[in-house]
Amino acid sequence: MIEHGTGLFTIGELARSTGLTVRTIRYWSDEGVLHPVTRSTGGYRLYDAESVARLELIRTLRELGLGLEDVRKVVSGEKDVASVAAAHVAALDAQIRSLKVTRAVLSTVARRGSTAEEMTLMNKLARLSAAERRRILEEFVDEMFHGLDTADPVIRERMRSMAVDLPDEPTPEQVDAWVELAEMLQDPQFRAHMRKVAEFNAAGRGPETPVGASMWFARRLVQLAAEAREQGIAPGSPEAERILGDLLGDADPAAVLERLRSTTNDKVARYRELLATVKGQGPEVARREEFGWVVAALEAKAGS
């Protein structure tokens, strides 16, 4: 009831006018969020009309998810609503990103039919920070090129700068790809194989070889092989031998074949596909078919 002759409200009256429970209002008052104006002769807490407006503000802030400490600071004037709201938005964004990763992981687990152990590993790898993901990649590249000063620096820097971070809204396929990629980058056998790939690159470059020649060769290979496949040219045909001549120039076909075999096996092709999937480009960007066509053409030439 309204305290007689004072225009003040008891907790019960506040509860009836706002629809909140007496217990909730009492708790907020106990926590120092809603201060009583005074107390009755019987010791009951009393509130004025301004307290009613303050109570509505408190309820709104709580419904928006703000903690009692932030609510107390807003109500007391220690912080303005805008700055608290901005901080809360940032916190919510972090929670949303985490929930999206959780959803993607669970979707992948459901699709894979994963065991509890696989799910634990998947969750751990998916939640690695961007810095931790970067560290895994840098350690992989450092081991791959350590001591190989003649390796094409463009290839080295391209691999080091390659983004391997999950997007803010990863699909189950991207989470799945990142988990597989992280496992692959830390696999000793795969690292040893990629070391051999780097050694091939270093051995094939002389002092006159221009920087970036490896990238130029790869782009030219993809272009010529894609055109050959579109035209239906078989790897063992005379037309394929002519295309190889355009691609290789004076290079030794046997040496090129050996190098390409090291970079086009299933593991390396899968590595490129996983990188493309994590970046949202699709596995076709890895150009497995184009590299495979050139290898088949070189093998046919070697056997002729």
Side-chain angles (χ1 to χ4, degrees), residues 146-167:
H146 179 69
L148 301 178
D149 296 334
T150 58
D152 194 330
V154 172
I155 296 292
R156 186 198 307 259
E157 289 310 309
R158 181 181 174 85
M159 292 188 68
R160 185 181 293 278
S161 62
M162 194 170 293
V164 293
D165 200 14
L166 283 169

Side-chain angles (χ1 to χ4, degrees), residues 29 42 90 97 132 134 152 154 219 227-228 255:
S29 188
R97 285 194 296 271
E132 289 169 326
R134 175 61 54 190
D152 194 330
V154 172
R219 285 195 290 267
E227 292 173 355

Side-chain angles (χ1 to χ4, degrees), residues 21-54:
T21 66
V22 170
R23 182 177 180 179
T24 297
I25 298 174
R26 183 176 290 116
Y27 173 67
W28 288 347
S29 188
D30 290 342
E31 292 296 315
V33 178
L34 180 68
H35 296 286
V37 175
T38 185
R39 287 183 178 267
S40 68
T41 53
Y44 294 102
R45 284 174 279 204
L46 299 175
Y47 303 86
D48 59 10
E50 187 177 338
S51 300
V52 177
R54 187 177 291 112

Side-chain angles (χ1 to χ4, degrees), residues 53-176:
R54 187 177 291 112
L55 188 58
E56 290 295 340
L57 172 60
I58 294 168
R59 175 162 62 179
T60 299
L61 294 174
R62 290 292 288 158
E63 287 175 348
L64 290 173
L66 270 68
L68 281 178
E69 182 60 21
D70 280 331
V71 172
R72 185 191 63 76
K73 290 178 179 179
V74 169
V75 172
S76 65
E78 292 180 41
K79 284 188 175 182
D80 60 89
V81 175
S83 63
V84 172
H88 196 56
V89 166
L92 283 174
D93 284 342
Q95 291 175 10
I96 290 169
R97 285 194 296 271
S98 178
L99 286 171
K100 286 175 178 175
V101 170
T102 298
R103 184 183 185 280
V105 168
L106 290 174
S107 296
T108 300
V109 168
R111 191 177 71 255
R112 272 186 170 187
S114 302
T115 65
E117 291 77 11
E118 289 172 333
M119 182 179 66
T120 299
L121 174 62
M122 193 182 308
N123 188 52
K124 178 181 178 182
L125 291 175
R127 291 182 183 283
L128 289 176
S129 68
E132 289 169 326
R133 294 189 184 110
R134 175 61 54 190
R135 177 186 55 78
I136 289 174
L137 177 65
E138 289 180 349
E139 287 179 354
F140 169 71
V141 174
D142 287 343
E143 181 177 322
M144 184 175 170
F145 289 99
H146 179 69
L148 301 178
D149 296 334
T150 58
D152 194 330
V154 172
I155 296 292
R156 186 198 307 259
E157 289 310 309
R158 181 181 174 85
M159 292 188 68
R160 185 181 293 278
S161 62
M162 194 170 293
V164 293
D165 200 14
L166 283 169
D168 287 343
E169 298 186 37
T171 64
E173 290 75 22
Q174 285 174 309
V175 173
D176 209 5

